[in-house]
C-alpha cells in the first residue's frame, strides 16, 4: 500500500495510485494521481519529460539547464528558488530572509495514523509515510505526512515545521499540502452560501491565474465550505475524473487553485494566512491540519462514495459511530423563546404519541434568555420557566419515554448577562474600540485558559445534573476584533481559538461518551470535518423549507454522508421562505438525513397526526438505509426534478426520492432510475402518502358528491379528518431494468383524477421502496 523504490514513493488505495519521487536536487516531484496502476509500473514513463530548456526560466542549478522549478510538477515548493506560483509557505527564516529551500533528508513508514498533538485528525488509517525535508542552509525541517485509507480511496496529507535554529522562525503561511496536477480542462466545484442558503454548489472553469476558496470569519463558514472538487470537463454524476479535497479544520481556511502558463494546476490547502503569524523558537514545531484527498474516475458519485466512507469510518468516532440516530423533536421552530415547562410537556406528549424518541430543548431555558438580547453565558436554569429545575423536567420526559437533549451556545456571551458583567475581559474585543456585535452577542475568548475552564465546568454541570443524552452546540456569530489579552502575538488568535475550542469539546465530551453531540452554527456555518471529529452530526441549515433543502443537502452530499446532516420536518408555510409545501415532501426530504420534527405538533390535524405516525414508523424501518446506506444523486434530464437514492450495505434494498420543484404543464414521461443494486428481481413500491383536500381548493367539487365552498368551514373540517390516497405504483423488475430506468405513471395534467394519476404539482414528491424478492420466490414464478 506504501512502497518506496529508487526514491520513488507509491501510495495505493483500492482504486487509486499516488506517485512522487525525489529529484536529483532533493525536491519532491509529483508524478501521478489517478486510477490504480499495475504493480511495478515504471514511474519514469509517467513523469514529466524535460528535454528542452525553456526561454528565460530561472534555472535551479547551473549544472542542469532543464531543471526549472517553475515548470515542474511538485509536491512542495518554497519561495525564492525560481518557482513563481503560489507557494504553500511564506516563512521568515531564522536568517531573516524569506528564502527557503526544503529538500529530502529522510523518510519513514509507520503503521496506522499518526495522531496530532493539537488538532483532531482522521483515525484508523492503514499506514503513514513521513518524508522529512531539510532547508539547504538553515536548521529547519519540514515533515510531510501521507496517510493511506485504502478502502475509502483516501490519502490525507499534512505538514509539520520545526525550527532547530537558535534564531526564531516566523510562519506567515504554512499550508497543509500542495500538489501540481496536469490540467484536464478542470472545472472547480465549491460550496458557497450564506445563512439559510448554505452549500449551494457552484462550478467554474479553471482558467489561467489563481482562485482562492477561503473563509476569514473565524469558522469554516457558510460562505465557502473548505471542501471542493476539481473535475475533468464533461464529468457527470456517474462518469469522469474527479479529485475531491477537504480539510479537517473548523477555523479560517484557504485553498489555492492556480493554473500556470504550462497548464499545470497547483492546489494548496490549509489554514488561511489572513492575519496569521506564528513564531517558532528553537526546538518548537507547528503542525498544520490534515487535508483529505480522493480521486474517482466514476464521476461525482464515485468521489462522494469515497468521502462518505471516509467520514463514517475515519472521522466520526466513539459511541455514535455507525449507530442509528434517534428521531427528535426540537422546540425552536415550535415555540422559539416563548415557552414554559407545561407547554413543552404538551409538545413532548404529542411527540411520544407520534413515535418520536428524543426531545430537544432549544434556546431560551437559562438566565434571562427570553429573546436573543440577553442571557448568553448564564447557564443556570430559568426558574420562571422551570420552577422545579431542569432535572425534574428531564425526568418527566424520561417518564414519558423520551430522551432529553439540550441546546447551549457556550462560545458566546451577551453584554446583558451576569457573566459579562462579572468578566468583561473574557469577551473577544479590541481593548479600546467600541465592540461590534452580531445577534447582540460577543465571542468568548477561548485563547484564555480561565474561559475554557469556565465553559467546561458550566456545561459539564448542566449535562450531569439533567442527565442529558444529546447536546446541540451552537455558535451564532463570526469573530471580529480578533485579539486576546492572553496572547503576546495576535497573529496566533484565530488558530488558538480553534485549538481552544477543540480542547473544550474534548474535555466535556470525552468523559461523557454516550452523549450525542450535534453541532450547529446558525445552521451550517461550521459544517466541517474538524467538528465532525467531535459531533457525529451537524444541524445542516436553519432553512427547513424542503425545496431549499434539496439544494443545501445536495450540495453537502458531495462531501458529507447523510449520517452527518440534521434534517427536520417544519411547518408550512416555511418560516424562512413562506413557501407552502406538502407534509409528505417535508418528510421525503428530511428523511435523507438525521431526522426530526421542528414544529408545534399540537396543531396537527388528526389526519396529519396519522401521517406523521406513518412517517416515524417508516423512518425507523429504513433508518439504517437512510443514515448509512450508499447515497447517490441520480442525474435529472428535466430541470424541475431532483433524484436521490440510498442503497443498503448488502445492495438488496433501496429508497429512492423523486422530487419535483415547480410543476410544468403536460409533463412528459417521468422515469425512475435506481442504481447500485445487486443482480436479481425487485419489487418497487411507492410509499403511500396522503393528499389533503384543501390543497385542491374548488377542484374538489369535481369529485365531491356535494358542492363545497373552497374557503368554507365544511371543507376545512373535512380536511382535518379525511384525505385522499396518493397514487401507489407497484412494479416487479430486475436490477438491470431499474438501472436503465422504468417509466412511471403519468402526472396530473388537468384532464382528470384517478388512482393511477400521480398528483405532484409544485413541490410534490414520492419515495419509492425497492426490495429484493428472495430467490426461492423468484424461482417459483
Ligand atoms: C441558531 C440555530 C437555531 C436555533 C437558534 C436559537 O440560529 O441555528 O437552530 O437553535 O440559534 O437561538
Amino acid at each position: 500500500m506504501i512502497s518506496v523504490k529508487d526514491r520513488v514513493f507509491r501510495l495505493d488505495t483500492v482504486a487509486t495510485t499516488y506517485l512522487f519521487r525525489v529529484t536529483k536536487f532533493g525536491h519532491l516531484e509529483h508524478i501521478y494521481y489517478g486510477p490504480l496502476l499495475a504493480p511495478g509500473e515504471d514511474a519514469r514513463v509517467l513523469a514529466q519529460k524535460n528535454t528542452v530548456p525553456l526561454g528565460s526560466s530561472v534555472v535551479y542549478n547551473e549544472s542542469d539547464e532543464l531543471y526549472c522549478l517553475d515548470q515542474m510538477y511538485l509536491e512542495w515548493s518554497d519561495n525564492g528558488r525560481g518557482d513563481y506560483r503560489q507557494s504553500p509557505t511564506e516563512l521568515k527564516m531564522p536568517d531573516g530572509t524569506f528564502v527557503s529551500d526544503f529538500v529530502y533528508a529522510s523518510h519513514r513508514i509507520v503503521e496506522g495514523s499518526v495522531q496530532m498533538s493539537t488538532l483532531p485528525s482522521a483515525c484508523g488509517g492503514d499506514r503513514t509515510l513521513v518524508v522529512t525535508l531539510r532547508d539547504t542552509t538553515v536548521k529547519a525541517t519540514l515533515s510531510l505526512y501521507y496517510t493511506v485509507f485504502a478502502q475509502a480511496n483516501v490519502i490525507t496529507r499534512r505538514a509539520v515545521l520545526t525550527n532547530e535554529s537558535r534564531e526564531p522562525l516566523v510562519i506567515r503561511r504554512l499550508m497543509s499540502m500542495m500538489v501540481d496536477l496536469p490540467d484536464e480542462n478542470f472545472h472547480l466545484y465549491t460550496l458557497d452560501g450564506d445563512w439559510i442558503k448554505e452549500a449551494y454548489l457552484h462550478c467554474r472553469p479553471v482558467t489561467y491565474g489563481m482562485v482562492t476558496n477561503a473563509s476569514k470569519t473565524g469558522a469554516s463558514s457558510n460562505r465557502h465550505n473548505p471542501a471542493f472538487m476539481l473535475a475533468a470537463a464533461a464529468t457527470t454524476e456517474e462518469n469522469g475524473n474527479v479529485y475531491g479535497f477537504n480539510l479537517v479544520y473548523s477555523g479560517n481556511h484557504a485553498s489555492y487553485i492556480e493554473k500556470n502558463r504550462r497548464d499545470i494546476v497547483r492546489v494548496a490547502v490549509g489554514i488561511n494566512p489572513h492575519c496569521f503569524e506564528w513564531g517558532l523558537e528553537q526546538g518548537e514545531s507547528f503542525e498544520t491540519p490534515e487535508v483529505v484527498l480522493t480521486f474517482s474516475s466514476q464521476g461525482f458519485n464515485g468521489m462522494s462514495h469515497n468521502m462518505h466512507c471516509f467520514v463514517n469510518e475515519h472521522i466520526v468516532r466513539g459511541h455514535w459511530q455507525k449507530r442509528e440516530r434517534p428521531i427528535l423533536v426540537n422546540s425552536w421552530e415550535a415555540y422559539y423563546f416563548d415557552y414554559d415547562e407545561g407547554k413543552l410537556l404538551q409538545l413532548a406528549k404529542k411527540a411520544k404519541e407520534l413515535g418520536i424518541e428524543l426531545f430537544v430543548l432549544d434556546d431560551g431555558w437559562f438566565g434571562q434568555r427570553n429573546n436573543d438580547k440577553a442571557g448568553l453565558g448564564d447557564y443556570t436554569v430559568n426558574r420562571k420557566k422551570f420552577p422545579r429545575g431542569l432535572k425534574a423536567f428531564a425526568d418527566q420526559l424520561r417518564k414519558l419515554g423520551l430522551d432529553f437533549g439540550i441546546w447551549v451556545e457556550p462560545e458566546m456571551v451577551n453584554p446583558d448577562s451576569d457573566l459579562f458583567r462579572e468578566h468583561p475581559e473574557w469577551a473577544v474585543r479590541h481593548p479600546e474600540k467600541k465592540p461590534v456585535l452580531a445577534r447582540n452577542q460577543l465571542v468568548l475568548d477561548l485563547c484564555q485558559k480561565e474561559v475554557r475552564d469556565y465553559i467546561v465546568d458550566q456545561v459539564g454541570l448542566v449535562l450531569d445534573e439533567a442527565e442529558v443524552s444529546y447536546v446541540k452546540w451552537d455558535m451564532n456569530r463570526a469573530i471580529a476584533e480578533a485579539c486576546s489579552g492572553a496572547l503576546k502575538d495576535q497573529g496566533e488568535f484565530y488558530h488558538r481559538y480553534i485549538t481552544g475550542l477543540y480542547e473544550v469539546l474534548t474535555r466535556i465530551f470525552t468523559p461523557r461518551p454516550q452523549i450525542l453531540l450535534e453541532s450547529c452554527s446558525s445552521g451550517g456555518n461550521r459544517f466541517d470535518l474538524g467538528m465532525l471529529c467531535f459531533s457525529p452530526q451537524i444541524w445542516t441549515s436553519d432553512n427547513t423549507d424542503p425545496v431549499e433543502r434539496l439544494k443545501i443537502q445536495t450540495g453537502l452530499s458531495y462531501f458529507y454522508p447523510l449520517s452527518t446532516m440534521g434534517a427536520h420536518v417544519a411547518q408550512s408555510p416555511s418560516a424562512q421562505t413562506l413557501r407552502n409545501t406538502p407534509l409528505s415532501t417535508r418528510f421525503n426530504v428530511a428523511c435523507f438525513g438525521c431526522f426530526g420534527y421542528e414544529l408545534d405538533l399540537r396543531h396537527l390535524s388528526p389526519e396529519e397526526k396519522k401521517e406523521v405516525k406513518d412517517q416515524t414508523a417508516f423512518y425507523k424501518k429504513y433508518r439504517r438505509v437512510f443514515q448509512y446506506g450508499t447515497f447517490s444523486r441520480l442525474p435529472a434530464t428535466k430541470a424541475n426534478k431532483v433524484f436521490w437514492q440510498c442503497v443498503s450495505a448488502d445492495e438488496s434494498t433501496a429508497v429512492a426520492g423523486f422530487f419535483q420543484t415547480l410543476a410544468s404543464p403536460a409533463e412528459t414521461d417521468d422515469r425512475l432510475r435506481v442504481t447500485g443494486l445487486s443482480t436479481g428481481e425487485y419489487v418497487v413500491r411507492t410509499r403511500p402518502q396522503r393528499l389533503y383536500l384543501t390543497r385542491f381548493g374548488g377542484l374538489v367539487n369535481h369529485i365531491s358528491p356535494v358542492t363545497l365552498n373552497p374557503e368554507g368551514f365544511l371543507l376545512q373540517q373535512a380536511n382535518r379528518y379525511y384525505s385522499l390516497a396518493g397514487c401507489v405504483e407497484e412494479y416487479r423488475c430486475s436490477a438491470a431494468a431499474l438501472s436503465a430506468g422504468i417509466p412511471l405513471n403519468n402526472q396530473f395534467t388537468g384532464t382528470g383524477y384517478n388512482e393511477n394519476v400521480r398528483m405532484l404539482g409544485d413541490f410534490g414528491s414520492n419515495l419509492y421502496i425497492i426490495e429484493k424478492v428472495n430467490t426461492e420466490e423468484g424461482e417459483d414464478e
Side-chain angles (χ1 to χ4, degrees):
M1 169 191 319
I2 298 181
S3 56
V4 190
K5 204 176 152 215
D6 301 333
R7 309 232 282 184
V8 176
F9 298 92
R10 173 170 171 155
L11 284 64
D12 282 348
T13 67
V14 168
T16 68
T17 295
Y18 191 103
L19 272 184
F20 63 99
R21 68 179 173 189
V22 182
T23 67
K24 64 178 172 184
F25 294 113
H27 299 110
L28 299 185
E29 180 189 3
H30 178 78
I31 296 178
Y32 172 87
Y33 188 24
L36 187 70
L37 296 173
E41 190 86 58
D42 187 346
R44 285 170 304 181
V45 177
L46 288 156
Q48 185 187 31
K49 310 293 184 299
N50 281 315
T51 52
V52 66
L54 217 107
S56 57
S57 294
V58 175
V59 173
Y60 179 76
N61 186 305
E62 72 276 7
S63 67
D64 185 351
E65 59 174 0
L66 299 176
Y67 196 96
C68 305
L69 288 169
D70 203 28
Q71 294 163 35
M72 290 168 63
Y73 292 85
L74 296 166
E75 283 286 297
W76 195 264
S77 182
D78 297 291
N79 282 299
R81 306 297 284 161
D83 186 351
Y84 294 94
R85 294 166 287 181
Q86 180 78 344
S87 165
T89 64
E90 189 176 293
L91 307 175
K92 190 158 189 205
M93 297 296 277
D95 62 9
T97 72
F98 286 93
V99 182
S100 56
D101 190 6
F102 286 94
V103 295
Y104 176 83
S106 64
H107 73 268
R108 64 196 161 97
I109 295 171
V110 291
E111 284 302 314
S113 306
V114 180
Q115 264 218 334
M116 300 172 73
S117 33
T118 55
L119 290 169
S121 57
C123 50
D126 296 300
R127 240 173 232 183
T128 302
L129 164 70
V130 189
V131 183
T132 298
L133 313 176
R134 186 173 291 284
D135 185 76
T136 46
T137 55
V138 164
K139 283 187 168 170
T141 61
L142 180 74
S143 292
L144 304 183
Y145 287 68
Y146 298 78
T147 302
V148 175
F149 300 80
Q151 289 299 329
N153 289 310
V154 159
I155 290 166
T156 65
R157 288 190 52 185
R158 61 188 179 89
V160 177
L161 179 67
T162 305
N163 180 18
E164 288 163 0
S165 157
R166 284 222 191 104
E167 303 306 317
L169 185 162
V170 178
I171 305 170
R172 290 190 178 173
R173 176 171 72 240
L174 179 59
M175 308 309 280
S176 301
M177 62 78 71
M178 71 148 260
V179 66
D180 290 330
L181 299 168
D183 188 25
E184 296 182 48
N185 285 329
F186 281 134
H187 282 63
L188 168 66
Y189 290 79
T190 52
L191 301 181
D192 317 285
D194 200 340
W195 175 65
I196 64 171
K197 51 183 283 191
E198 295 89 344
Y200 280 25
L201 184 71
H202 293 116
C203 165
R204 74 212 82 167
V206 174
T207 54
Y208 296 101
M210 191 166 82
V211 178
T212 306
N213 181 58
S215 87
K216 293 195 282 195
T217 62
S220 49
S221 93
N222 51 27
R223 298 164 191 232
H224 307 287
N225 193 279
F228 65 96
M229 293 182 278
L230 284 177
T235 293
T236 66
E237 289 290 357
E238 294 170 299
N239 293 299
N241 286 350
V242 187
Y243 295 90
F245 300 85
N246 207 344
L247 180 66
V248 189
Y249 193 59
S250 310
N252 290 345
H253 63 87
S255 295
Y256 305 111
I257 297 94
E258 181 183 16
K259 177 163 154 175
N260 81 341
R261 60 204 173 120
R262 309 289 299 155
D263 291 339
I264 300 175
V265 176
R266 170 161 295 181
V267 180
V269 182
I271 294 176
N272 193 332
H274 166 73
C275 299
F276 178 90
E277 195 170 86
W278 197 284
L280 294 181
E281 297 297 329
Q282 188 173 29
E284 287 181 344
S285 297
F286 184 83
E287 55 181 9
T288 65
E290 191 175 29
V291 173
V292 180
L293 288 84
T294 192
F295 168 83
S296 174
S297 55
Q298 281 155 24
F300 300 119
N301 277 322
M303 197 282 317
S304 299
H305 295 161
N306 293 347
M307 285 294 194
H308 293 182
C309 167
F310 177 73
V311 173
N312 279 327
E313 300 288 338
H314 303 291
I315 291 290
V316 173
R317 60 205 66 192
H319 181 79
W320 285 96
Q321 188 189 33
K322 306 271 226 28
R323 212 173 266 259
E324 292 183 18
R325 313 289 165 71
I327 302 178
L328 63 82
V329 62
N330 180 299
S331 63
W332 181 243
E333 283 197 31
Y335 299 154
Y336 296 113
F337 294 100
D338 180 21
Y339 58 71
D340 58 22
E341 188 177 306
K343 210 166 153 187
L344 292 167
L345 283 171
Q346 287 174 15
L347 183 63
K349 278 185 196 134
K350 287 278 166 289
K352 180 64 195 171
E353 281 164 27
L354 298 174
I356 291 166
E357 298 156 319
L358 164 71
F359 185 94
V360 179
L361 176 60
D362 209 281
D363 199 355
W365 60 267
F366 52 87
Q368 294 308 307
R369 189 77 177 156
N370 299 314
N371 50 49
D372 65 15
K373 295 193 170 56
L376 278 182
D378 303 337
Y379 293 101
T380 41
V381 70
N382 182 316
R383 287 274 167 183
K384 270 199 194 137
K385 293 179 184 170
F386 299 91
R388 291 165 309 138
L390 214 49
K391 176 164 174 13
F393 172 65
D395 285 343
Q396 293 208 59
L397 293 176
R398 285 187 278 266
K399 235 200 221 154
L400 283 174
L402 290 168
D403 283 334
F404 175 55
I406 201 162
W407 178 97
V408 283
E409 195 180 353
E411 297 164 67
M412 300 289 156
V413 66
N414 284 120
D416 184 3
S417 66
D418 293 342
L419 181 67
F420 186 79
R421 282 181 280 274
E422 207 175 313
H423 286 293
E425 77 286 5
W426 282 6
V428 175
R429 53 195 271 216
H430 188 280
E432 279 148 33
K433 294 191 167 63
K434 190 170 157 39
V436 290
L437 298 177
R439 211 189 184 209
N440 311 300
Q441 63 199 54
L442 291 166
V443 182
L444 282 173
D445 180 6
L446 299 194
C447 303
Q448 297 186 38
K449 184 176 178 308
E450 302 73 37
V451 176
R452 297 198 296 273
D453 291 348
Y454 173 82
I455 294 174
V456 171
D457 292 347
Q458 290 300 302
V459 176
L461 279 177
V462 173
L463 303 189
D464 295 342
E465 192 218 322
E467 293 164 48
V468 167
S469 62
Y470 160 106
V471 171
K472 178 173 171 191
W473 181 291
D474 211 339
M475 192 284 266
N476 282 316
R477 70 157 288 182
I479 292 176
E481 307 175 81
C483 56
S484 166
L487 297 177
K488 263 206 336 247
D489 188 343
Q490 300 302 331
E492 296 180 2
F493 179 87
Y494 284 111
H495 185 60
R496 291 252 184 233
Y497 181 90
I498 288 297
T499 55
L501 170 65
Y502 292 148
E503 180 204 301
V504 164
L505 290 169
T506 307
R507 286 168 62 193
I508 295 175
F509 293 102
T510 308
R512 301 172 180 89
Q514 249 73 347
I515 292 180
L516 172 60
L517 178 60
E518 175 156 354
S519 73
C520 170
S521 178
S522 307
N525 179 48
R526 208 163 56 181
F527 205 115
D528 60 65
L529 298 178
M531 290 312 289
L532 286 172
C533 288
F534 300 91
S535 69
Q537 57 192 60
I538 298 180
W539 179 228
T540 306
S541 175
D542 278 355
N543 198 334
T544 44
D545 173 338
V547 181
E548 283 305 303
R549 280 296 188 115
L550 284 176
K551 286 184 249 172
I552 297 168
Q553 291 173 218
T554 291
L556 287 170
S557 78
Y558 282 87
F559 304 95
Y560 305 95
L562 303 197
S563 63
T564 62
M565 288 186 220
H568 301 170
V569 168
Q571 65 173 359
S572 175
S574 154
Q576 293 79 32
T577 60
L578 286 181
R579 185 180 280 133
N580 257 307
T581 52
L583 180 53
S584 50
T585 291
R586 283 176 271 150
F587 171 75
N588 293 345
V589 173
C591 64
F592 283 87
C594 295
F595 177 62
Y597 291 86
E598 188 151 340
L599 74 169
D600 193 345
L601 299 169
R602 298 175 309 171
H603 297 149
L604 295 177
S605 70
E607 205 60 8
E608 286 171 327
K609 277 186 199 141
K610 280 194 222 153
E611 182 167 356
V612 168
K613 252 189 175 168
D614 290 346
Q615 293 175 346
T616 56
F618 177 83
Y619 187 75
K620 284 175 191 167
K621 183 161 178 209
Y622 294 100
R623 168 158 41 195
R624 198 137 205 109
V625 184
F626 281 121
Q627 295 180 358
Y628 296 106
T630 303
F631 172 83
S632 307
R633 300 160 300 269
L634 272 286
T637 47
K638 299 181 193 172
N640 66 340
K641 304 287 187 297
V642 175
F643 299 101
W644 289 345
Q645 64 162 48
C646 285
V647 178
S648 64
D650 67 1
E651 299 175 352
S652 70
T653 305
V655 197
F658 178 109
F659 303 99
Q660 175 157 286
T661 51
L662 289 185
S664 76
E667 269 281 357
T668 51
D669 281 347
D670 287 319
R671 299 175 86 84
L672 176 71
R673 278 189 68 214
V674 183
T675 58
L677 290 163
S678 61
T679 316
E681 208 42 34
Y682 286 83
V683 169
V684 181
R685 201 160 186 275
T686 321
R687 184 184 78 84
Q689 56 191 35
R690 286 157 213 268
L691 299 169
Y692 290 91
L693 297 180
T694 43
R695 179 131 199 250
F696 299 98
L699 295 177
V700 283
N701 288 322
H702 294 298
I703 56 165
S704 166
V706 287
T707 304
L708 296 165
N709 172 358
E711 305 297 330
F713 176 76
L714 256 184
L715 184 61
Q716 295 300 327
Q717 276 309 98
N719 187 62
R720 289 178 58 75
Y721 295 97
Y722 179 75
S723 61
L724 301 171
C727 164
V728 169
E729 294 164 90
E730 187 165 332
Y731 307 102
R732 199 170 159 135
C733 60
S734 66
L738 277 164
S739 167
I742 55 170
L744 295 171
N745 280 5
N746 301 140
Q747 286 200 42
F748 178 74
T749 54
T751 50
Y753 160 75
N754 66 52
E755 59 179 19
N756 294 319
V757 175
R758 291 160 60 233
M759 305 290 284
L760 294 180
D762 284 351
F763 322 129
S765 64
N766 278 120
L767 288 185
Y768 293 87
I769 307 118
I770 301 101
E771 280 168 314
K772 196 168 200 168
V773 180
N774 75 46
T775 339
E776 274 167 45
E777 198 186 325
E779 280 165 3
D780 284 351
E781 304 226 331

